[in-house]
Amino acid sequence: MQRFQGIRLHLIIALSILFGCLTTQTSRALTLDPADGVDAPVSLSGHLAVLHDPSGVLTLEDIVSGRLNIPFKPVPSMLTEGYREGAIWVRFSLSAPGARNRWLLQVERPLIEHVALYVRDRAGHFVTLPSTDLSGDDGAPRAYATLFSIPASSAETEYYIRFQSMTSITTALKIWQRDGYAEYRRSDNWIMGIVLGAVGAMMFANLLYAYLLRDSLYLLYAALLVESVLMTIFHLGYADEIFQFLEPKSIHRAWGAIVCLYSIVMVWFLARLFEFRRHWIWAWRIIQGIILLNVIALVFSIAGHYGDVGFFVSRLQQLSYLFIAAFVLYLLIVLKQRQYLLSALAFACVITVSLVMQSQYAGTNLFKIDTSLARFMAIGTLIHLVLLSAAVAQRARFAELSLNAEKDRTIAVSQLAERQLAMKVRERTAELAERNASLNAEVDRRHLLELKLRQSLDAVNDALAQQRDFVALVSHEFRGPLAVISAAADNLSSVDSTDNTRLRTTRIRQTVKRMSLLIENVLAGDRLHGGQKAFPTTDSVDVNEVLRTVKAGLDDDVAGRVSFIDGGGVTVKGDRNLLEIAVQNLIQNAMKYSAAPGPVTVRLSTDQGVAFVYVTDQGTGVAPGDREFIFMKYYRAVGQPANGSGLGLYISREIARQHGGDLTLAASDKNGSTFCLSLPIEGAEALTT
């Protein structure tokens, strides 16, 4: 029951407050005392009434006459009309019984382009009061263009102010005396100096951090410091003094660009400070979208249309701060990232100052604040910059500690790696020494083998030399007896011409020729592969002449079976004797493997600089399985009835290749075989080139 009564009491209090806020209040005249406006300003809050002119064309006569029937509405606190099109008319009344002071009216926010103050003269007509410049009176800098010197008498005096601006119409109207306002401006100078000094020191520190730590976050914070200083300069009213080289219109346009840049840099910096990308990539994507929207608003501001996007920029800044605040709470509470605690405290101050001011700029004054916006902004900026600098310094300290820890870890790892490397070096050195010893033993063994191999090679060379000497000796010794046998056979055939004797002498001569050809082949093979040049001298040899010489050396019965087809004059370079041996071997091979009286054809032809000697027989042909072996040394096909040494085709091919040609089996079947001896014609290469 008591709990229910407590809830009811709170509900009644809340409804009462809401009713008080919604109830129409009437403005009343402000009575000034002689002591007012010296130590502190006198606020016009609660004494103001406002009228909206969306068209911006109403004149003071239209409003004072009352014919438009547009009532003024009381304003309970400072003027927070937000971004409005057209104009705003404000009415207030003053009286100063017994005071003869000249009073000053301060329009708090200096970023309203058009401010006009109207008051009745002695004739009862409304006149425009000019703004006041105090720089000539007491040396105070002219910071506010909207400062008016107003008369006040014991009678109630009514004033009208017309506001029109592309930015927010948010201001506080205050009454000063001259001495009080001069002191107020001197205190503003102190605040401005403190802000500039603090920001200068912070910028130097952050530039140093950026250089030492190689972290762009500190450069970003330095840019934020510059933006904060510019915001303070504008709020404290020093813009027209510092940027006096600019026209007032350009100064007001620059304000919109500075607000957009401040939003961009602040959101970007906070996203980097709280490491959105590392903790949640989609949060970083949202921040990028917010930055993009602010960049678009910046383009509008530079083009002179900040009034069209100012309300959007304020709301976007509020929403972005609320989103960042929610994310920071998520880091602290859910993820328990305590290292962001100081940064979160600094950001809370940022949120408090920015949300209050942006809500006022948007036309809302929930907390009924009625104070100096400029000082609120300056002091709040100074506080949050100090806290943010502390957070950034803490980050730098953490970075230094992390860097030191990383250095220690790197040193430990490098020392461990050095020890492991030394161990590996020792192991590799021992292994290398072992391998060197093994290699030296292997080298000694190979030297011994090389020595033995050389000795064996020398023995082989000696044996080959002895073999060549023996072959030459045997061949020489065989040639004499064979010549005697051949001569004896010739004498025998001339003495006794009977058929039996003629047959026997023919066989003797064939055997002698076969033995002579065998000796020539053996000597030619030794000459070709005995390590000496195949033909020490080369001559121009007529191939037809070679064929005729071979034909002349054939026996009568053999010559009757061999037919020669001349191919014209063909000359090659080479050794005549070797070429004759090659052709003789081909003819003897054809005669051997073709039964009598089968003919053998020797045909000479030329084609594209090459001479071809074709030897064709009508034997049984070469079996397919033997065709790749018949040119091998000492090879004889199995089942062949003819006797032979197996050197003829081999020697002939080697002779052809020594002369730059070749010997091939051109064709072979059951009707016979054709061997082709090819030789390059002399001068053919020069002709083709």
Side-chain angles (χ1 to χ4, degrees):
M1 185 66 181
Q2 292 179 353
R3 181 180 179 184
F4 175 73
Q5 290 178 353
I7 295 175
R8 184 173 62 181
L9 178 61
H10 293 157
L11 182 60
I12 292 173
I13 294 174
L15 292 175
S16 299
I17 295 174
L18 180 62
F19 178 76
C21 293
L22 297 178
T23 302
T24 303
Q25 302 179 13
T26 58
S27 61
R28 61 185 185 278
L30 175 64
T31 302
L32 298 174
D33 294 330
D36 290 340
V38 177
D39 296 329
V42 179
S43 176
L44 285 174
S45 297
H47 304 278
L48 303 176
V50 64
L51 181 147
H52 299 152
D53 176 18
S55 63
V57 298
L58 295 181
T59 63
L60 183 61
E61 287 75 11
D62 295 333
I63 293 173
V64 174
S65 64
R67 61 177 177 268
L68 297 178
N69 196 22
I70 304 177
F72 279 84
K73 296 182 180 180
V75 179
S77 59
M78 61 185 294
L79 189 66
T80 53
E81 296 301 318
Y83 298 88
R84 288 186 176 272
E85 295 182 357
I88 299 294
W89 289 88
V90 176
R91 183 182 65 191
F92 63 92
S93 300
L94 293 177
S95 64
R100 300 179 180 274
N101 305 49
R102 297 291 293 179
W103 304 91
L104 296 176
L105 172 65
Q106 175 195 0
V107 179
E108 172 68 24
R109 190 165 180 263
L111 295 170
I112 302 175
E113 291 94 330
H114 303 286
V115 181
L117 176 65
Y118 301 91
V119 67
R120 293 182 186 273
D121 58 7
R122 294 182 179 179
H125 301 293
F126 279 95
V127 295
T128 303
L129 294 180
S131 60
T132 300
D133 183 2
L134 297 183
S135 60
D137 295 341
D138 54 6
R142 184 177 61 85
Y144 289 89
T146 49
L147 184 69
F148 300 93
S149 177
I150 59 174
S153 62
S154 58
E156 183 177 326
T157 305
E158 193 172 48
Y159 300 87
Y160 290 89
I161 304 178
R162 183 179 184 273
F163 295 98
Q164 189 171 10
S165 178
M166 70 173 184
T167 61
S168 173
I169 303 178
T170 301
T171 184
L173 278 66
K174 299 177 181 179
I175 303 297
W176 289 93
Q177 291 190 37
R178 289 179 178 267
D179 294 340
Y181 180 75
E183 185 64 28
Y184 173 80
R185 291 307 298 160
R186 280 192 287 271
S187 62
D188 274 356
N189 292 341
W190 276 101
I191 293 174
M192 193 68 208
I194 292 173
V195 171
L196 290 177
V199 169
M202 296 176 198
M203 286 186 63
F204 175 78
N206 281 275
L207 292 176
L208 185 61
Y209 289 151
Y211 174 76
L212 295 177
L213 300 177
R214 299 293 190 271
D215 191 346
S216 60
L217 175 67
Y218 302 101
L219 293 177
L220 194 60
Y221 185 58
L224 178 61
L225 291 173
V226 173
E227 288 295 322
S228 299
V229 167
L230 291 176
M231 294 279 287
T232 305
I233 288 172
F234 271 83
H235 273 91
L236 287 177
Y238 289 90
D240 60 343
E241 178 184 354
I242 296 176
F243 305 111
Q244 56 185 339
F245 55 88
L246 297 177
E247 297 180 356
K249 184 177 180 180
S250 300
I251 293 176
H252 285 280
R253 179 179 296 184
W255 165 251
I258 290 172
V259 171
C260 294
L261 282 173
Y262 180 81
S263 298
I264 292 171
V265 176
M266 176 62 82
V267 171
W268 193 358
F269 168 74
L270 292 174
R272 287 285 310 278
L273 181 64
F274 293 106
E275 298 179 296
F276 276 45
R277 179 181 299 191
R278 183 169 70 89
H279 294 294
W280 189 27
I281 188 62
W282 283 107
W284 173 246
R285 296 281 185 265
I286 294 173
I287 291 297
Q288 288 179 320
I290 293 173
I291 293 174
L292 178 60
L293 293 176
N294 278 291
V295 169
I296 296 174
L298 175 63
V299 174
F300 275 86
S301 301
I302 295 174
H305 299 285
Y306 179 70
D308 298 332
V309 296
F311 180 80
F312 168 77
V313 171
S314 297
R315 286 291 187 244
L316 181 62
Q317 192 177 83
Q318 294 175 33
L319 292 175
S320 61
Y321 286 163
L322 292 175
F323 171 72
I324 295 173
F327 187 80
V328 171
L329 291 176
Y330 168 75
L331 290 178
L332 295 176
I333 298 174
V334 179
L335 299 183
K336 301 186 184 303
Q337 300 289 323
R338 304 303 184 201
Q339 69 271 20
Y340 298 117
L341 188 59
L342 184 58
S343 301
L345 181 62
F347 175 59
C349 183
V350 175
I351 290 181
T352 302
V353 174
S354 298
L355 290 182
V356 169
M357 298 197 68
Q358 290 300 331
S359 63
Q360 290 181 323
Y361 291 157
T364 305
N365 193 4
L366 296 176
F367 302 101
K368 304 301 179 184
I369 295 176
D370 182 23
T371 183
S372 172
L373 284 177
R375 292 194 173 185
F376 181 77
M377 173 67 183
I379 296 174
T381 299
L382 186 61
I383 292 173
H384 85 70
L385 286 180
V386 170
L387 292 175
L388 279 178
S389 296
V392 171
Q394 184 189 42
R395 178 188 175 93
R397 186 174 67 86
F398 286 157
E400 183 180 3
L401 293 176
S402 177
L403 182 61
N404 291 333
E406 183 65 22
K407 286 182 179 178
D408 294 339
R409 190 185 68 83
T410 303
I411 291 173
V413 170
S414 63
Q415 290 176 349
L416 178 60
E418 185 178 357
R419 289 193 296 269
Q420 292 178 349
L421 180 60
M423 186 181 300
K424 289 290 185 183
V425 168
R426 287 194 296 269
E427 292 177 357
R428 295 297 183 186
T429 303
E431 183 180 351
L432 184 60
E434 182 180 354
R435 290 188 178 181
N436 285 336
S438 176
L439 183 60
N440 291 332
E442 180 67 19
V443 169
D444 294 339
R445 188 178 66 84
R446 293 197 177 188
H447 284 165
L448 181 60
L449 291 177
E450 182 181 1
L451 181 59
K452 292 181 178 180
L453 183 60
R454 287 180 178 176
Q455 292 175 354
S456 300
L457 184 59
D458 292 340
V460 170
N461 290 333
D462 292 341
L464 289 176
Q466 294 176 5
Q467 179 184 356
R468 285 194 296 271
D469 294 340
F470 176 75
V471 170
L473 178 62
V474 170
S475 300
H476 178 71
E477 294 297 330
F478 280 181
R479 283 177 178 175
L482 289 176
V484 173
I485 293 172
S486 179
D490 292 337
N491 292 331
L492 183 61
S493 61
S494 63
V495 173
D496 188 359
S497 59
T498 61
D499 294 337
N500 188 24
T501 302
R502 189 166 46 252
L503 178 59
R504 290 182 179 182
T505 56
T506 300
R507 289 179 179 176
I508 292 173
R509 284 195 295 269
Q510 290 177 351
T511 302
V512 169
K513 286 186 175 295
R514 186 168 65 251
M515 291 297 295
S516 299
L517 184 58
L518 177 59
I519 291 173
E520 294 294 336
N521 285 328
V522 171
L523 292 176
D526 183 66
R527 182 178 175 184
L528 292 172
H529 299 286
Q532 56 182 343
K533 192 173 180 181
F535 29 95
T537 59
T538 57
D539 300 322
S540 297
V541 180
D542 187 351
V543 180
N544 285 296
E545 184 65 27
V546 171
L547 296 181
R548 286 193 289 270
T549 302
V550 172
K551 181 179 181 181
L554 296 176
D555 294 335
D556 295 338
D557 54 348
V558 175
R561 293 176 56 191
V562 180
S563 59
F564 289 85
I565 302 175
D566 194 354
V570 180
T571 303
V572 298
K573 294 285 288 186
D575 190 310
R576 181 186 185 91
N577 293 328
L578 291 176
L579 293 177
E580 291 178 358
I581 292 173
V583 176
Q584 287 178 4
N585 285 337
L586 291 177
I587 295 175
Q588 291 295 330
N589 187 73
M591 297 294 294
K592 185 190 308 182
Y593 291 101
S594 60
V600 174
T601 304
V602 179
R603 179 170 56 88
L604 175 63
S605 65
T606 60
D607 185 16
Q608 297 182 355
V610 180
F612 298 97
V613 178
Y614 295 97
V615 179
T616 304
D617 61 50
Q618 293 185 0
T620 58
V622 181
D626 296 328
R627 292 178 183 177
E628 60 179 307
F629 303 108
I630 58 176
F631 295 102
M632 294 177 60
K633 195 173 183 180
Y634 304 123
Y635 179 80
R636 297 185 69 254
V638 179
Q640 289 291 343
N643 296 323
S645 63
L647 289 175
L649 293 179
Y650 168 74
I651 295 299
S652 297
R653 170 176 274 188
E654 290 300 318
I655 292 173
R657 289 180 175 177
Q658 289 286 345
H659 285 77
D662 201 359
L663 174 63
T664 59
L665 178 62
S668 181
D669 54 20
K670 63 181 180 179
N671 296 321
S673 302
T674 300
F675 288 86
C676 177
L677 175 66
S678 59
L679 298 170
I681 299 176
E682 182 182 8
E685 294 182 358
L687 292 176
T688 56
T689 57

